[in-house]
Structure formats: C-alpha cells, structure tokens
Amino acid sequence: MKKFIAALILLLITAVALSQTETLSETGIAAEVNGEIITMDTFLSKVLPNYTEISKRIEEVDPLFSEMLLNTEAGQKLLEEYERNSLEALIEETLLIQYAKEVGIEADIEALREVVSKSIMDTLTELQIEKSDADLFYVLKGYIDGLSSYEAKVVRDLAYKEVLSSLYEAVTVNATVTEEEIEQYYLANSSRYAVEEERADMKVLLFDSFSEAYSVWKAASRDANPSSVLDTFPEVQSGSYTREEIEALNPELVKSLFKPTEGELLSSVVTLDNKYAVIYLESYSPAGAKGIEDVREEIQGILISEKKDLFWRIWQEQEFKPFKEEAVIKRYYETGGGE
C-alpha cells in the first residue's frame, strides 16, 4: 500500500511538471536545426526528470516556495525561462554535433545504443526487475515513454560527450609550449616556487618500547625498499617538518634529516617526542626557490592547459559562432511552428 501511495504521489508530481510544458508544441517537434528535428520527447526527457526531482526536493525543503513556484505567475515565468534555456542547450549540442560531422568526427550511435541497452537489461536481470516495472519507474521519474525515453537520452548524452571530447582534441592538438615560455612563466611566478623554510619530508613510526622500534628498524634496514616496510603499519605518519620543529623535538636529528637525499632509512632508532622512532627520510627542500628543473613538468602542464583553452575559445569565436549564425533554426515552442 505504501509503495502504491508513493507511486501515486510521484505521478501527480510528474503531471504537474508536464503541465509546464504541454503548451510548447502541438506537433511533436520542439525545434528544427538545419533540417534535423529535436523531438518533444527528446526535449521533455531533458526537462521533466529535472522538474520531477526539483518538485520533490523543494516540497521537502519548503512547501511554501514549492507552491509559489508551481502556482504563481512569477513561478511560471521562471519555469518557462528554464524551458527556453534547456531547449537552447539542446540546439547548441545539435549544432556542435553537426559541425563535428562536417569535419569527419561522428559518434557510432548504433554501437552506443547496443552498449546502453545491454547495460540496462543486464541491470534489470541482475536486480530481478520486470521491464514493465522499469517502464513505470522511468515514467514516474519524468521520462514520457518510460524506459525507451531514458535509454534514448543516455545514448544522446554519451554521443554528445564523445563528439565534444574528440572535437576538443582535434581543435587543441597543436597546443605546444616552448622552452622560452616555460622560463618566462617561471620568472613571472617566482614567488610561487619560493620555499620560505627548509623542510624534510619523512615517514615516522613511534614506539614506547625500544625493542619494538629496533625490530622494525632491523626489518626495514634489510629490505630493498625500507619505506614499504613502514607502510605496512597503519600508524605510520607522513609529514613535512621545518628545522625549527625538529630542533624542538630532538636537536641531534637536524644533521641527519636536513640534507640532500634520494630517500633513506636513518641509520638507527632515534628518540623523538619522548618516544623511540624509526624514520625514513623521503626528501629535503632547502630554503630559497625550487629550480626550474624541479617544476618544469608542472609549468608545462599549466601552459598546455591554458593554450588548449585559448585554442578552444578561438575556435568557438572564429569557427563555431559563424556556423551557428548561418544555421536555420526553428523553435516551435515559441511560435507553434515559426522561425
């Protein structure tokens, strides 16, 4: 009985949401982009599930706001604006897919459909859910034709993401960075790479008993990778320490820890913070600035990312914008069939 009531409530919520879009088109077509149709089912599959979820959540959080959103003129205008923006997003996606097709980039829709369909059916089988029950579930989620509408939306979303990724890669493939650019970036951001205090990065195991500490140190000293031995203990601590911090714990350790290293186990058990410690020194950073060789890879990644974003913005302005402006777009939700 509870499941039936819950389903009924969801159905009513969906009906309310559907009422927001029922006047958009009487033709079954939401828009037409260069002759390609965006069906009302495609459009509704984008907005209704969101309406359904929003309605539920707002009702739970603030019934008054929910009432205002669904039953006032201001609320209706907000929902209408959301519908317009949602359709514009679909038009934009369609245009990008069309542009990509013209330059030889296209998703294999049938292959995607097979993968999505198989994934859905496998899930239903695994969970022992009847297809009719799944259809009802997705209708209640806001997909007008149930499972088929949901499947179509997933396929379209995956196709768009695949095309967008391939197009972005094609547009930005020539993004490169010169040595001069790396050096200039390093100089312009020298403060970012400054190290105010020298630091020692280390792994530390603390023990109350010298015997316990010694047995672990002995095992680590015999291992080709001492650090991995310390990692077997859940209580191992990894940290970065300044000279001042180490001097406060044990001044005698400063010489052992604050020195260039490629990674090493200290040559004996030491005392630290009134306990016996096994320490593996991972790295040492002197005060001053990191050298350009230490940060070259990081800078290169930053500059490549920036250049790719620049190439993409240039493409949007010089290539995609004119393509969009020349497109023949009919928005039926605004005029019932006009331009």
Side-chain angles (χ1 to χ4, degrees):
M1 184 65 179
K2 289 182 178 178
K3 289 183 178 179
F4 174 76
I5 293 174
L8 182 60
I9 291 172
L10 282 173
L11 188 57
L12 290 172
I13 290 172
T14 302
V16 171
L18 180 57
S19 69
Q20 311 305 323
T21 60
E22 62 184 1
T23 61
L24 297 188
S25 174
E26 301 296 331
T27 65
I29 301 174
E32 192 175 330
V33 183
N34 291 326
E36 181 177 343
I37 290 172
I38 298 176
T39 66
M40 281 300 296
D41 186 62
T42 298
F43 173 61
L44 293 177
S45 293
K46 184 176 181 68
V47 297
L48 280 187
N50 291 340
Y51 272 151
T52 304
E53 190 64 26
I54 290 169
S55 297
K56 287 191 299 180
R57 290 181 180 272
I58 291 178
E59 177 67 26
E60 291 169 1
V61 174
D62 190 336
L64 176 60
F65 186 83
S66 178
E67 176 73 17
M68 293 172 60
L69 180 65
L70 297 176
N71 296 302
T72 67
E73 184 178 350
Q76 295 299 308
K77 288 183 178 179
L78 178 61
L79 294 176
E80 289 169 7
E81 186 65 23
Y82 171 70
E83 289 166 0
R84 279 192 286 271
N85 280 276
S86 295
L87 188 56
E88 289 305 312
L90 276 175
I91 290 171
E92 188 92 359
E93 290 175 10
T94 303
L95 284 167
L96 186 138
I97 291 171
Q98 290 177 348
Y99 177 95
K101 188 175 182 179
E102 287 192 5
V103 297
I105 297 173
E106 193 171 0
D108 189 337
I109 300 296
E110 287 307 314
L112 287 174
R113 186 174 288 115
E114 287 181 15
V115 170
V116 172
S117 180
K118 184 178 185 304
S119 176
I120 290 173
M121 296 312 297
D122 287 349
T123 300
L124 295 182
T125 300
E126 182 181 344
L127 298 177
Q128 298 182 332
I129 298 173
E130 295 293 330
K131 188 175 182 297
S132 58
D133 292 333
D135 270 324
L136 176 60
F137 172 79
Y138 282 108
V139 167
L140 296 176
K141 292 283 286 184
Y143 296 94
I144 300 301
D145 288 332
L147 195 57
S148 62
S149 293
Y150 171 72
E151 181 178 318
K153 181 182 185 299
V154 173
V155 170
R156 181 184 173 90
D157 288 348
L158 288 175
Y160 172 69
K161 289 177 182 178
E162 182 179 311
V163 168
L164 177 61
S165 177
S166 297
L167 184 60
Y168 181 83
E169 187 61 31
V171 169
T172 64
V173 67
N174 293 322
T176 57
V177 177
T178 66
E179 181 62 27
E180 182 179 0
E181 287 174 315
I182 292 175
E183 291 175 357
Q184 287 295 324
Y185 184 92
Y186 175 77
L187 291 173
N189 294 275
S190 57
S191 60
R192 178 185 300 180
Y193 302 111
V195 180
E196 295 181 1
E197 296 181 86
E198 57 181 338
R199 287 185 170 274
D201 296 329
M202 65 189 79
K203 292 181 179 179
V204 181
L205 268 174
L206 297 174
F207 298 91
D208 293 321
S209 162
F210 174 81
S211 297
E212 288 182 282
Y214 179 78
S215 64
V216 173
W217 175 85
K218 194 68 175 177
S221 67
R222 291 173 175 172
D223 197 283
N225 185 2
S227 178
S228 65
V229 176
L230 272 64
D231 288 337
T232 62
F233 292 83
E235 58 269 29
V236 67
Q237 302 174 32
S238 294
S240 178
Y241 299 86
T242 65
R243 178 183 288 265
E244 184 178 354
E245 288 170 337
I246 294 299
E247 284 180 339
L249 297 173
N250 184 347
E252 296 179 2
L253 287 180
V254 170
K255 289 184 179 180
S256 300
L257 296 175
F258 289 83
K259 63 179 183 180
T261 182
E262 295 181 358
E264 62 186 275
L265 181 73
L266 262 60
S267 59
S268 65
V269 175
V270 297
T271 57
L272 190 70
D273 198 22
N274 296 319
K275 289 182 179 289
Y276 296 102
V278 179
I279 297 178
Y280 182 84
L281 179 60
E282 294 183 294
S283 63
Y284 165 72
S285 302
K290 292 181 181 179
I292 191 169
E293 292 303 324
D294 297 325
V295 294
R296 180 183 303 280
E297 189 173 331
E298 176 189 333
I299 292 175
Q300 189 172 33
I302 292 171
L303 293 180
I304 287 289
S305 180
E306 286 182 356
K307 281 202 173 181
K308 285 187 173 184
D309 288 345
L310 175 62
F311 283 11
W312 184 250
R313 289 197 301 273
I314 291 173
W315 171 82
Q316 288 178 312
E317 185 65 28
Q318 297 182 358
E319 299 291 334
F320 188 62
K321 184 179 178 180
F323 179 81
K324 183 177 178 179
E325 289 172 346
E326 294 172 5
V328 179
I329 302 172
K330 297 179 181 179
R331 299 170 175 84
Y332 291 88
Y333 82 108
E334 286 184 341
T335 62
E339 296 290 339

